[in-house]
Amino acid sequence: MEATLFYILALVTLVGTGFAITARQAVRAIVYLVNSFFALALIFYLLGAPLVAAFEVIIYAGAIMVLFLFVIMMLDLGHPERMKSPRLVDWIPALVLVLVTAASVAVLAMEHHAQPLAAFSGISVRQFSQALFTRYGVAVELVSLQLLFALVGAIYLGRRR
């Protein structure tokens, strides 16, 4: 059952991200992207990483999407008074993705039984930091460069006026 849920959620993530990329209105793109983030969080949970799933929801679906909305409002992309109101037909793909994600959560909640955790041997902060900056050093630097590029792009877009 978990493999089926995994593939369904992977499909929801891919379709939602595709809709987010091709959406003509930024707010609709954000709705699709938030749905993709929730589906991705459920995938992380299925893979046994509940902390990463919580980070996905809190950081990406929460904070980053609020930041995107703030940037959209700050840049004043389009004039809402000139735009027509969205019809229900325009939101059907988003509603279908949300319903599939919600059904996956319901199935996961009903099927998932709490299992006792295996003996966990904790690691010290020193061991964690050594692994992070030696074994995963390149990945950490790539993520920091991506954040730097995003910051420079946001400053450029904000100061362009």
Side-chain angles (χ1 to χ4, degrees):
M1 183 56 128
E2 288 184 3
T4 306
L5 274 178
F6 175 83
Y7 288 117
I8 290 171
L9 290 169
L11 181 67
V12 167
T13 302
L14 290 174
V15 170
T17 304
F19 281 148
I21 292 170
T22 59
R24 294 189 182 269
Q25 295 177 348
V27 175
R28 288 185 188 172
I30 288 177
V31 169
Y32 289 126
L33 204 54
V34 166
N35 193 10
S36 295
F37 285 150
F38 277 116
L40 193 59
L42 286 171
I43 289 172
F44 283 131
Y45 184 78
L46 279 174
L47 293 175
L51 184 64
V52 177
F55 285 162
E56 182 78 25
V57 171
I58 293 168
I59 294 173
Y60 291 108
I64 301 296
M65 289 300 109
V66 169
L67 180 67
F68 283 175
L69 276 175
F70 175 72
V71 168
I72 288 169
M73 290 180 200
M74 186 179 75
L75 292 177
D76 192 29
L77 298 175
H79 299 282
E81 63 273 359
R82 292 188 209 158
M83 296 172 58
K84 60 182 180 179
S85 297
R87 300 169 303 189
L88 182 62
V89 176
D90 297 333
W91 289 104
I92 286 179
L95 291 174
V96 169
L97 292 175
V98 167
L99 289 175
V100 170
T101 305
S104 298
V105 169
V107 169
L108 185 62
M110 285 188 262
E111 292 288 324
H112 194 67
H113 303 289
Q115 299 172 355
L117 294 174
F120 175 72
S121 61
I123 62 171
S124 69
V125 174
R126 176 179 292 248
Q127 291 170 329
F128 175 75
S129 60
Q130 284 177 342
L132 186 65
F133 290 111
T134 55
R135 185 173 176 189
Y136 302 108
V138 174
V140 170
E141 289 300 320
L142 286 174
V143 169
S144 67
L145 283 174
Q146 286 178 338
L147 291 173
L148 177 66
F149 295 153
L151 177 66
V152 169
I155 290 172
Y156 173 74
L157 289 174
R159 298 193 67 158
R160 196 167 62 181
R161 294 179 186 211

